Amino acid sequence: MDLAARVGLRLRELRQAQGVSLSELARRSKIGKGTLSELESGRRNPTLETLYALTTALKVPLSTALDNLAIPTKISGHAVDAVLTERFEAAAAVTETYRVRIRAGTTQESAAHAPGTTEHIIVLAGTARVGAVSAPARISPGMHASWAADVPHVYEAPSGDVEALLIVRYPR
C-alpha cells in the first residue's frame, strides 16, 4: 500500500472514530468534499497544508494521520517540505520533531492549530521569517524562535532555501 493510500485510510479511521461525516469534516477543514473523498480512498496525494487542515479540524496532531508509517515520513506543501523524524507521546502533550526545508521565495501561511499548541524552530541554514502572522520573527542560522501556533502563523524563505528543525507541541 502506498503512502497516499495509507494516509487516506488513516484519515477515514480518524474521522469515523469521532463520528464525523465526510460533509462535516469537509466543512470544518474547508477542504472540498470531493477532494476529501479522493484523499480517503488513496486516489489523491495529501499536501502538508491539506493534512494540517484535516488534523486541525479533527483536533489531533498532524503525526496522528501519519501513525504507523515508517519514520522518517516526508510530506510536502506549497512552500515547505517536512520530514517527521520523531513523535513523542506523554501524559501532558504530543510532541513532533520535523526536519524542514522552506523553499526560496515562498511563503506558507498555516491556520491556527488546536488551543495551546506551540511551535519552536531552530534555523540551520538560510534566513526565515516565522511565527504569528501578526508579528513574524526574522531568524538566521543558529537562531531559534517560538510562537503560539493556535493562531495563524507563517513560514517564509525570503532570499534562499531555509533548512531548520521544527518542534510542534500539542497539549492533551
Side-chain angles (χ1 to χ4, degrees), residues 52 56 110-120 131-132 146-153 155 166-170:
Y52 263 122
T56 298
S110 290
H113 300 314
T117 302
T118 56
E119 294 192 14
H120 313 270
S146 299
W147 61 92
D150 55 5
V151 298
H153 48 286
Y155 306 89
L166 177 69
I167 299 170
V168 184
R169 185 174 190 278
Y170 301 87

Side-chain angles (χ1 to χ4, degrees), residues 101-158:
R101 170 178 289 133
I102 309 168
R103 291 187 293 283
T106 62
T107 302
Q108 177 175 314
E109 195 169 309
S110 290
H113 300 314
T117 302
T118 56
E119 294 192 14
H120 313 270
I121 195 167
I122 300 169
V123 172
L124 305 172
T127 298
R129 270 185 74 243
V130 294
V133 169
S134 61
R138 187 175 185 94
I139 56 174
S140 301
M143 297 175 70
H144 60 88
S146 299
W147 61 92
D150 55 5
V151 298
H153 48 286
V154 66
Y155 306 89
E156 182 179 5

Side-chain angles (χ1 to χ4, degrees), residues 21-78:
S21 70
L22 198 66
S23 296
E24 178 60 17
L25 182 56
R27 185 191 66 74
R28 286 184 196 174
S29 64
K30 298 182 175 77
I31 302 293
K33 186 177 174 182
T35 298
L36 183 52
S37 178
E38 288 180 338
L39 287 168
E40 285 191 358
S41 67
R43 293 189 313 262
R44 178 175 268 197
N45 285 320
T47 65
L48 183 58
E49 295 90 350
T50 301
L51 284 177
Y52 263 122
L54 292 168
T55 55
T56 298
L58 290 167
K59 298 180 179 151
V60 297
L62 174 68
S63 61
T64 304
L66 306 174
D67 200 25
N68 295 326
L69 299 178
I71 289 182
T73 302
K74 182 179 179 179
I75 49 177
S76 295
H78 164 73

